[in-house]
Amino acid sequence: MSSLPDRPDRPSPAEYRELLRAHLAPVLERAARSTHLPLAACADSVLAVPLRASVDLPLFVNSQMDGYAVRSVDIAGAGPDSPARLRVVGAVHAGDGRGHGVDDDEACKVMTGAPVPEGADCVVPVEDTRVSDTDPTAVLVVAPRSPGEFIRRPGDDVRAGDVVIDAGVRLAARHLAAAASLGESGLDVRPRPRVGVVATGSELVAPGRPLGPGQIWESNSITLAAALKACGCEVTTTTISGDDRGEFTAALDAATGDADLVVTAGAVSMGDAEVVRQVLADREGARFAPIAMQPGGPQGLSTWRGTPVVCLPGNPVSALVSFVVLLRPVILEAVGRSPVQPVRARLSRDVTSPAGKVQFLRAALGPDSGAGIPVVEPVSGSGSHLVASMARADVLVEIPADVTSLAAGTEVDAVAL
């Protein structure tokens, strides 16, 4: 399935992303379709088609304030020393009908959102009124109002047919509020890719459990599941598998059951117990070979029961860097989200890099350097085992394959983790 010619040199990260994109074509094609979801399930999804208003909003003439609906001509000369006395003919609350109409020198008490009675052309806020000391059926208005003040009319917010939310928008609470206000019970959104995660290694133990000799706590399944969810995927399963072929194939069977994609971590290199490579490398279209990248050189692509499988290295730093650099851009494309754009930053110190590989240094983005761009502080060396440095880092600094050293102050690209 490789679109690259056989050659002694390794593909660059950019070239490998194209291989990944081709490998995940079924996922991209499926995700490009729309699915209708209940409104409550649409948060953080991407809208597939524009949402147009089916009605005018507001739906009816209503009050913008708690106060009194009146005729503006009746209070034209009102002031603190010369209040207009109006007879109160009723009260209307939100959810009521229009209530009693308003005629000359009359007022109807209204609450915010309540229909404005027939005959009234403005609302006087309650703070501009006083209750009459001598007549409990009257209200004293101490300020004039113009026609239309504090009244909301149909179409003031949106007209039927207007685009309220554009296609491609990642739906937040405010978008769902707008859709609900239009009476929509659901929306057409881009489907979330369903992804199963399998972490491999007989030495791995779930966090919180006691360790035996030579064992370590497993983190890749948790890390990758969180990263996939942050990209808009639905993680269908997370599994830890040992290095036994039967155990791993059973884990693959479970992971592919209801998934569009399976991501594995570990066992892709050249060791004796590389079960992922041993089980998946001989399948049609599979590719297991290093790429010109550090950390994250060993990579694999295959399929299982018709489901694409992306095989990342097992070192926790290598797995996360591989995901961010290689797989995340393709996943974001699949869900319709914008790619993560690099920012320009200045190195805080000198760095070195191995020749022939694109280096991704973990780093922390600092404040503006005074030259209009921030400073970036590398927080580790090139070793892929430095897990603690990943916790302190918030960006990756990309160093091209033909560069072996960069001086402090050099501008570099920094990509958010």
Side-chain angles (χ1 to χ4, degrees):
M1 63 163 284
S2 173
S3 61
L4 297 175
D6 292 330
R7 59 190 191 182
D9 57 317
R10 303 174 177 186
S12 68
E15 291 170 325
Y16 190 73
R17 273 195 299 271
E18 293 309 308
L19 292 176
L20 260 177
R21 186 171 283 107
H23 184 61
L24 298 183
V27 179
L28 291 165
E29 180 182 352
R30 190 178 302 112
R33 306 167 191 160
S34 66
T35 184
H36 193 79
L37 292 181
L39 204 57
C42 289
D44 213 34
S45 293
V46 173
L47 191 65
V49 295
L51 175 64
R52 293 183 178 273
S54 58
V55 294
D56 290 344
L57 286 183
L59 295 169
F60 51 86
V61 181
N62 68 85
S63 177
Q64 190 177 337
M65 303 286 285
D66 293 335
Y68 292 85
V70 304
R71 297 181 346 130
S72 58
V73 67
D74 292 336
I75 59 171
D81 298 325
S82 55
R85 179 184 294 269
L86 304 178
R87 186 168 66 92
V88 179
V89 295
V92 185
H93 295 77
D96 290 344
R98 296 194 73 174
H100 195 288
V102 172
D103 208 340
D104 295 348
D105 296 321
E106 292 181 341
C108 182
K109 194 170 188 178
V110 290
M111 304 300 121
T112 301
V116 174
E118 194 74 38
D121 66 355
C122 67
V123 170
V124 179
V126 68
E127 53 265 33
D128 289 337
T129 66
R130 298 199 303 263
V131 177
S132 171
D133 294 332
T134 59
D135 183 0
T137 67
V139 64
L140 303 178
V141 178
V142 299
R145 291 296 169 189
S146 302
E149 278 199 82
F150 298 116
I151 285 181
R152 299 182 290 212
R153 300 185 181 278
D156 283 354
D157 186 3
V158 65
R159 295 282 186 185
D162 287 351
V163 174
V164 179
I165 311 174
D166 288 319
V169 169
R170 184 175 169 185
L171 296 169
R174 63 186 185 277
H175 302 115
L176 302 186
S181 298
L182 290 165
E184 301 290 342
S185 61
L187 294 172
D188 293 324
V189 297
R190 297 278 289 267
R192 296 173 179 268
R194 298 164 301 175
V195 187
V197 178
V198 181
T200 64
S202 295
E203 76 281 12
L204 302 179
V205 175
R209 295 185 178 180
L211 296 177
Q215 293 183 323
I216 61 173
W217 285 299
E218 192 275 324
S219 63
N220 282 332
S221 65
I222 296 169
T223 304
L224 293 173
L228 286 160
K229 290 176 183 178
C231 288
C233 295
E234 176 189 348
V235 176
T236 55
T237 185
T238 56
T239 305
I240 303 174
S241 170
D243 294 324
D244 175 76
R245 290 176 68 101
E247 183 180 351
F248 177 61
T249 55
L252 280 177
D253 286 340
T256 55
D258 58 353
D260 304 313
L261 164 68
V262 171
V263 178
T264 70
V268 295
S269 192
M270 303 299 292
D272 294 337
E274 309 294 334
V275 67
V276 174
R277 185 187 187 107
Q278 292 165 2
V279 169
L280 294 174
D282 292 336
R283 303 185 70 81
E284 183 178 356
R287 181 198 187 280
F288 281 80
I291 68 172
M293 167 177 162
Q294 187 180 10
Q299 301 288 334
L301 301 174
S302 191
T303 58
W304 187 258
R305 301 195 183 281
T307 301
V309 182
V310 173
C311 308
L312 305 179
N315 179 275
V317 172
S318 297
L320 183 56
V321 171
S322 296
F323 177 86
V324 168
V325 174
L326 304 173
L327 187 54
R328 183 174 70 177
V330 184
I331 294 292
L332 292 177
E333 179 183 335
V335 300
R337 294 189 186 179
S338 299
V340 178
Q341 298 293 344
V343 299
R344 296 296 285 176
R346 292 185 186 275
L347 284 171
S348 65
R349 59 176 174 83
D350 298 348
V351 298
T352 59
S353 181
K357 297 180 181 179
V358 180
Q359 175 79 217
F360 291 94
L361 287 179
R362 283 84 74 201
L365 200 62
D368 194 302
S369 64
I373 61 174
V375 170
V376 65
E377 171 70 29
V379 296
S380 70
S382 60
S384 62
H385 62 289
L386 302 174
V387 179
S389 68
M390 186 63 88
R392 298 195 300 273
D394 55 11
V395 294
L396 295 177
V397 172
E398 180 176 348
I399 303 177
D402 59 351
V403 174
T404 57
S405 64
L406 292 172
T410 302
E411 289 191 18
V412 293
D413 282 335
V415 180
L417 281 167

